[in-house]
Amino acid sequence: MSYATSTAVPSGPTNIFRRAEGWLDQRGKLAWIAAMVLGFIFVWPVGLALLAYMIFAGKFKSSSYSDRKDDTMFCRHRRHHHDHAAFRSSGNTAFDAYKAETLKRLETEQEAFESFLQRLREAKDKQEFDSFMDERARRAAEPKAEEPAAPGAY
């Protein structure tokens, strides 16, 4: 017994749109944006239709972060919208205790390092200021050589 599969490709306007969608998907988001801009330039309803399709079909969604609802190609790396995964419980109390202890240790090390950098900056500023004051005092202590009179001066 043999099984035959149909290899005929259906034709019609829906097939053209699906092929165009597949072609644009292969080329990425910039191809979709270019198609939309060209649609607005040449026939504005086509550009508007492409924009609406891209929004409702989720063409602006990033593939690696598609589970986040506020993630679009324009705001993928918003720092103020991260979900604080480091502070959520994992369900393992031993790991959570280790994580809390490690985070606390890292925070104290960071504070110590920042205070070290502040002391280093202050020491450098003080050294530069002392050097400036010594140079100024040295110049003030040197006797000034008399400047020759300008020609024609009385």
Side-chain angles (χ1 to χ4, degrees), residues 147-153:
E147 296 179 15

Side-chain angles (χ1 to χ4, degrees), residues 29 58-63 66 68-73:
K29 294 175 189 170
K59 296 296 179 185
F60 285 135
K61 295 286 183 189
S62 172
S63 61
S66 61
R68 291 179 52 178
K69 65 181 178 183
D70 68 330
D71 180 37
T72 64
M73 66 184 247

Side-chain angles (χ1 to χ4, degrees), residues 37-138:
V37 169
L38 290 173
F40 273 116
I41 289 172
F42 293 111
V43 183
W44 69 267
V46 172
L48 191 61
L50 275 172
L51 176 64
Y53 177 74
M54 288 188 309
I55 290 171
F56 291 117
K59 296 296 179 185
F60 285 135
K61 295 286 183 189
S62 172
S63 61
S64 61
Y65 297 101
S66 61
D67 56 330
R68 291 179 52 178
K69 65 181 178 183
D70 68 330
D71 180 37
T72 64
M73 66 184 247
F74 300 111
C75 61
R76 182 179 329 171
H77 299 291
R78 280 196 246 174
R79 294 178 191 260
H80 59 276
H81 280 303
H82 57 77
D83 54 357
H84 301 287
F87 299 110
R88 279 190 274 153
S89 174
S90 67
N92 185 335
T93 56
F95 176 73
D96 289 340
Y98 167 76
K99 182 171 66 170
E101 178 185 325
T102 303
L103 288 174
K104 183 174 178 146
R105 180 181 52 83
L106 288 173
E107 286 174 1
T108 56
E109 286 179 6
Q110 180 180 5
E111 290 170 4
F113 183 69
E114 287 174 356
S115 68
F116 167 74
L117 288 178
Q118 183 63 31
R119 288 192 312 270
L120 193 64
R121 286 186 200 109
E122 289 171 359
K124 182 181 176 189
D125 290 347
K126 181 170 178 15
Q127 186 261 338
E128 288 176 355
F129 179 72
D130 290 343
S131 174
F132 168 76
M133 292 303 286
D134 291 343
E135 178 69 24
R136 185 171 176 228
R138 187 181 55 77

